[in-house]
Amino acid sequence: MHEMFEVRWHGRGGQGVVTASRILAIAAFNEGFAGVQSIPWIGAERRGAQIEAYNRISRTPILLHSQVYSPDAVVVVDPSMITRNNNVVIRGLKKSGFLIINTAGTKVIPSIRVPEECLVYVVDATSICLELGLQAAGLYVLAMPMLGAFAKATGLISLKGLRKAVESSFESVLVEKNMKAIEKAYYSTLKVHITPEQYIPPVPPSRPERIPEFRHWTDLPPVPVSTPSKGSIGKTGDWRTHMPVIDKEKCTKCLFCWMYCPEAAVNVNEEGFPEIDYDYCKGCGVCFNECPRKAIRMVVDEKK
């Protein structure tokens, strides 16, 4: 195992992806891993919408908190995602990583493409859920059996660790049904043969690799609510009634304005000073309120 093992889940809202990710983190902790994370990415927040979830598992505490961009393992709860866009699902998957797919047959296997030396495993999680009636609010919880498939493929966690995690997550009446699904998947997961033609160069992650070492908080990427982009009725700066103006005589280049801007409309020039992108700044005044040196003032936008 690498120093830190990273997992990315692909599924749909209502399939139990977030719950399975959380249970995996608890199980890993039960196995003695000191650093575990479970991070959901829900997106549209509605049932049926594509969602992702992430896990990090390490023998030492984890200081990194972000989405997983270069996973060691990808778990595909809904097989339609990989058949429709293979590269989106395997993006960033490491060479010699694991691809674990919920599929009833082997028809989809010839269309799968993975980086060199990757191992591909399949399990019919859908049939397991149908057989056991494992559903919640009318939808089958396909992600639960995938925990058993993950344990079988990677050998990272045991059924004993998963049972302990399930027992701490559900009422007693649901524990046995979920564990039966996990155990059935564990014993029915199969490794499939991949032909040389199915191996491709690694697909780059959706975002640049993380900065390996943080020396200052400004090394961290900003996490805006939205990013500058032209809307259906023009640039978002057109909405503004007041505009922030930076006084460089007072500015100490602390970049609090850059960090707090919810729209990522503050850039940093070559001299290290913040600059407002007036094309997209909505004039919310967050930078004005957060500036510790009072180097920003809000003035009426005379273009209005």
Side-chain angles (χ1 to χ4, degrees), residues 205-226:
S206 56
R207 293 188 180 183
E209 290 285 347
R210 67 179 71 94
I211 299 171
E213 184 177 1
F214 298 114
R215 297 180 181 277
H216 188 262
W217 69 263
T218 54
D219 292 334
L220 293 166
V223 186
V225 175
S226 63

Side-chain angles (χ1 to χ4, degrees), residues 190-213:
L190 298 174
K191 181 182 176 183
V192 299
H193 175 68
I194 298 297
T195 63
E197 295 75 23
Q198 291 179 264
Y199 288 119
I200 60 174
V203 177
S206 56
R207 293 188 180 183
E209 290 285 347
R210 67 179 71 94
I211 299 171
E213 184 177 1

